[in-house]
Amino acid sequence: MEHNARRSKAFRSLSALVLTGLVMSSAACTPRPDTGQSVLEDFLAAVGRGDIAAASALTDYPQAAKKDLGAATEGLQAAGLSFDVGEISADGTQSSADVAMNWALPNERHWVYDTTFTLTKTESGDKGWTLRWSPASLHPQLGRNQHPELRSIPAPRPSVVGSDGAALLEPGTVHRVIVDRDAISNVQSVVNRVATIVNNEMPQPEGQPPLLDARAVGEQAADGKGNFSVIILPASAPDRVKEALAAIEGVTVNDEAAMVRPDPGFAPDLMSRVERLVDEGDMGQDGWNIVAANNDGATVGTLYEMEPKVAPAIQASISKKVQDAAQKAVDTRSDAEAMIVALQPSTGKILAVAQTEKADEKGDLALMGQFPPGSTYKIVTAAAGIQNQGLNSGSTVPCPGSMEIGPRIVTNYNGSGVGDTSLSDAFARSCNTTFGNIAHQLEPGKFKAESQQFGIGINYHIAGLDTITGSVSDGRDEVERIDAGYGQGNDLASPFGMALVSATVATGRTPTPSLVPTAGTWQSAASKPIAPEVLENLRTLMRSVVTSGTGTAIAGRGEVYAKTGEAEVNGGSHAWFTGYRDDLAFATLIVKGGGSEHAVAVTDRFFANLDEGAGAAGE
């Protein structure tokens, strides 16, 4: 195409040089051959500058030429025409000329081809030549009453796949229902009829509103004239629905290209967010062609075609198998505000965000809800003790049932205690006294800084998602510092934030979370690697929870590293469980769900769903 473009730019100058040379040689040497070339060049120059009347007047059928040339220049949206007259053969009364044509089209496109023009001599002299008109002269593949037209070839929209390779969005067709308000007398009445058909034939699940709110849409459509889009029906809409709607006076149903969901019920909120991101991304490059069209605009043939450039498939972070497994798991507690967030530690991809309908009623609790994390926060406290106080998993620490720490009396769950024990045992037993004591011994500000090493307190602007990780006190107040050690007091975190904490332990630094990785994520502070000795000890502690501590109920689900938590709040306690297995980190929360064993049970169901239906988690 670049070669053709360079060639086209040379046509004008080359033609000018040829003409100049001919004029000079005629003055100095022999007369120019009588071939009608000047008439042909005048014709082509007139077409190039859009003077169809002048060009047509140089033909043997001016009226037909004017009609055909007008249709051609309009159909091509031509900005100009360059040409190069090549070999001309003549016998005195007729000549045939080969011409290279270069049409300048919109958006710096060019259509280059070769054709042949025939001229006949009707009287003496150079101007006695007339161009024999036929659409085939303009292009050899054009027939009678045909003209060239420029058409766009839309690039197919790229498909969207999940991190597990499952198709989440595919190019397809939706059906837009349009009401012509100028063709009807009562807009509301027509909208009511549309709503009756749509809502009766396409009922929604129990508890969800109907597809079309006739009253609201009718009020919107009442003001104004012309076409009004009433509703867009999915690709799955039955033919009988489209036929019934099209039968209503003033209603049309148009098919439109769109991204469609192979599984319409899959994570609707997340998929809506992904769709918006995809709409803002690379859609490829449309192609174009030149067709031979008849007077009615119907395509007769294709004269030239430039294929569209299709953008590569877009990957979303969501894993269909992980999301499905998580949703089924939380739905076992449909009576509560239950949720699971799952991340891939190695990449930060958000694999799943699942909530029950009761949680949905409160908004994005899994991503933005702020809850005291309870004993799950002992992961961060343990890291602070290892990093700042020289502790390790085998260090001897106090774990009495009750302990006076500074101005605070700290008590373990049910007052249970074992006296002095190893840090690993204290973590597995979830001793509040141990971790309140570790936090108390930290300098003010240390605990907050430690939390940021695990992602808590860092702001993430994830394209397509709003999130809040959590926050902790600066620790200047002794009581606040003590309570923070076991996730109470002013400690707050979302399940998203706690999933990041576990992902940090799994991978050695807090990953940058994403929904559509190519869309990017901004974060308020860069993550820093956790020291290897801290990681080694944390992993030992978290594994002990599953093998011999408060999380043994999930021991049959492979090599899980985790921490349980029960956060006391007014009116009850939140049930927490967070951890990782292989390359999948998770956080499970049941708001006011009671003991942590309930969160462990939901997580166990989550891994059971993964293992039964989709192989290894996180692949």
Side-chain angles (χ1 to χ4, degrees), residues 33-287:
D34 186 14
T35 62
Q37 179 173 342
S38 63
V39 173
L40 174 60
E41 289 172 344
D42 289 346
F43 167 83
L44 293 170
V47 173
R49 65 177 180 268
D51 190 349
I52 302 305
S56 303
L58 297 173
T59 70
D60 57 352
Y61 289 104
Q63 187 174 355
K66 185 175 182 180
K67 178 183 176 183
D68 293 338
L69 288 171
T73 54
E74 181 179 349
L76 290 173
Q77 306 165 49
L81 171 67
S82 300
F83 56 89
D84 184 12
V85 178
E87 183 179 348
I88 300 179
S89 59
D91 62 6
T93 60
Q94 181 172 304
S95 64
S96 178
D98 295 331
V99 180
M101 306 280 281
N102 185 324
W103 291 93
L105 305 179
N107 299 319
E108 300 184 351
R109 291 175 288 200
H110 287 268
W111 180 34
V112 179
Y113 60 90
D114 295 326
T115 190
T116 301
F117 287 92
T118 301
L119 297 98
T120 56
K121 192 170 185 180
T122 56
E123 56 186 78
S124 63
D126 188 51
K127 293 298 183 181
W129 289 93
T130 302
L131 188 143
R132 183 182 295 173
W133 178 249
S134 167
S137 298
L138 199 61
H139 190 283
Q141 291 176 249
L142 288 173
R144 186 179 179 184
N145 295 320
Q146 294 178 10
H147 62 274
E149 281 192 10
L150 171 65
R151 303 272 176 89
S152 177
I153 307 175
R157 301 185 72 179
S159 58
V160 179
V161 298
S163 58
D164 58 350
L168 301 180
L169 293 170
E170 296 177 326
T173 303
V174 295
H175 315 289
R176 186 182 295 274
V177 181
I178 296 173
V179 171
D180 182 356
R181 292 173 289 188
D182 296 338
I184 56 179
S185 58
N186 190 322
V187 174
Q188 185 65 64
S189 176
V190 172
V191 172
N192 289 345
R193 292 178 64 187
V194 171
T196 298
I197 293 172
V198 170
N199 295 336
N200 285 347
E201 294 288 345
M202 303 177 68
Q204 296 301 287
E206 186 176 351
Q208 293 190 20
L211 274 179
L212 181 55
D213 185 333
R215 181 175 178 179
V217 173
E219 290 176 354
Q220 295 172 11
D223 296 329
K225 297 182 179 298
N227 290 335
F228 180 85
S229 178
V230 176
I231 189 173
I232 297 177
L233 298 177
S236 58
D239 288 341
R240 66 178 183 276
V241 174
K242 294 182 288 180
E243 292 167 0
L245 292 173
I248 302 174
E249 183 179 358
V251 175
T252 56
V253 181
N254 295 336
D255 292 346
E256 295 183 359
M259 299 300 288
V260 299
R261 306 177 188 183
D263 182 354
F266 174 74
D269 181 62
L270 280 174
M271 293 313 304
S272 294
R273 297 167 190 255
V274 171
E275 283 180 3
R276 288 194 289 271
L277 287 177
V278 169
D279 286 341
E280 298 169 0
D282 181 10
M283 290 291 104
Q285 183 177 336
D286 290 348

Side-chain angles (χ1 to χ4, degrees), residues 321-332 340 557 581 601-617:
K321 64 185 178 184
V322 178
Q323 177 69 32
D324 281 341
Q327 191 62 55
K328 290 176 183 177
V330 298
D331 284 344
T332 62
I340 291 176
R557 299 299 173 194
R581 186 184 79 171
V602 169
T603 309
D604 182 68
R605 185 68 261 166
F606 167 50
F607 280 118
N609 294 338
L610 279 174
D611 295 344
E612 292 166 7

Side-chain angles (χ1 to χ4, degrees), residues 465-501:
L465 290 180
D466 294 319
T467 62
I468 301 174
T469 55
S471 61
V472 297
S473 166
D474 61 12
R476 295 183 186 279
D477 182 90
E478 269 191 287
V479 173
E480 286 183 4
R481 192 162 71 245
I482 295 164
D483 288 347
Y486 45 91
Q488 295 283 173
N490 291 330
D491 278 10
L492 293 173
S494 64
F496 166 73
M498 291 311 302
L500 279 177
V501 169

Side-chain angles (χ1 to χ4, degrees), residues 584-610:
L584 187 153
F586 64 89
T588 303
L589 169 64
I590 306 173
V591 177
K592 293 187 178 179
S596 61
E597 66 272 12
H598 300 294
V600 174
V602 169
T603 309
D604 182 68
R605 185 68 261 166
F606 167 50
F607 280 118
N609 294 338
L610 279 174

